[in-house]
Amino acid sequence: MVAMGNTADLQALLPASPEERLIVALDGCDGDGAMALAAGIPGLCWVKVGLELFISEGPGIVTQLRSRGLRVFLDLKLHDIPATMAGACRRAAGLGAGLLTVHASAGTAAMAMARQAAAEAAAEAGLPPPLLLAVTVLTSWHPQPFRQQLAVADSLSAHVEHLAQLAARAGLGGCVCAPRDAPRLHRQQPAMALVTPGIRHRPVQADDQARTMTPAEAMAGGATWLVVGRPVTRAVDPGLAFAQLRRQIAAAPHGCGPVH
């Protein structure tokens, strides 16, 4: 189960409207492009800052986005020894990100230390603590190469479940998983938030994402937040594309509903 403090943090962040369930990934943007894109999407609440944008623009991009009233999902996928991972999360939490990713494969000690460090740093800065999310298995992996290349005895889906269990044991409030993994994880860990990248319109276009779903399918499977990049950022009219996704989420049957 999720630690009590983290449960309270999760409840404060939970999406209450369709637009709050959508996180637009600013991958491939520079700083000016990211700010312009965000400004051109009416109703936008959440943006994702990943490694490319963070390395290009530095921590200041988080501050700039937050100054526009946006919530930031800082997707750095931290993975290191416990002390280093905790130190990095301490620095990241001071930026005011609402969501922050660490790799579950770093282990329970690293995840627990990271969560504690992030909470302490946010408190020192007078900020709400970020919700730490455990990355399970990246959405780019297909089952067969996953087992062959990484020499993991478990199936891909079983390994996702195992990593989610480690995250819960460490007190993290959520996981990042492929949409197709969400229904199993929701049944296994109903108190955890599930953030699902790899959201695509049908027909699904071939790219570097595997195990994708449409917004309606992901919502029915129990996703809490949907991360959408190219369907919005590469659209002729990103604002219109966002509005269409928002309508799909509003009309979708929320099979597992929001996190309790």
Side-chain angles (χ1 to χ4, degrees), residues 215-222 248-257:
E217 290 169 338
M219 291 300 303
Q248 289 181 45
I249 290 173
H254 298 177
C256 297

Side-chain angles (χ1 to χ4, degrees), residues 26-37 52-53 56-57 61 65:
L26 302 176
D27 302 326
C29 295
D30 61 14
D32 291 341
M35 299 304 295
L37 178 66
E52 184 178 357
L53 179 57
S56 170
E57 301 299 323
I61 190 64
L65 290 163

Side-chain angles (χ1 to χ4, degrees), residues 49-118:
V49 173
L51 280 170
E52 184 178 357
L53 179 57
F54 190 80
I55 291 173
S56 170
E57 301 299 323
I61 190 64
V62 178
T63 304
Q64 291 179 55
L65 290 163
R66 290 186 64 242
S67 72
R68 297 285 184 90
L70 295 165
R71 289 181 164 184
V72 177
F73 169 25
L74 189 52
D75 187 24
L76 301 183
K77 297 183 177 70
L78 299 168
H79 187 179
D80 215 305
I81 62 173
T84 301
M85 209 157 90
C89 284
R90 180 179 294 278
R91 298 289 186 181
L95 299 175
L99 302 172
L100 176 63
T101 50
V102 297
H103 268 284
S105 54
T108 54
M111 285 189 284
M113 285 180 63
R115 179 178 62 82
Q116 183 65 29

Side-chain angles (χ1 to χ4, degrees), residues 146-178:
F146 171 79
R147 296 189 70 173
Q148 290 177 340
Q149 295 181 32
L150 299 187
V152 176
D154 289 338
S155 68
L156 188 153
S157 60
H159 194 61
V160 167
E161 293 175 13
H162 171 68
L163 292 174
Q165 289 172 352
L166 293 183
R169 212 173 294 159
L172 270 62
C175 285
V176 178
C177 65

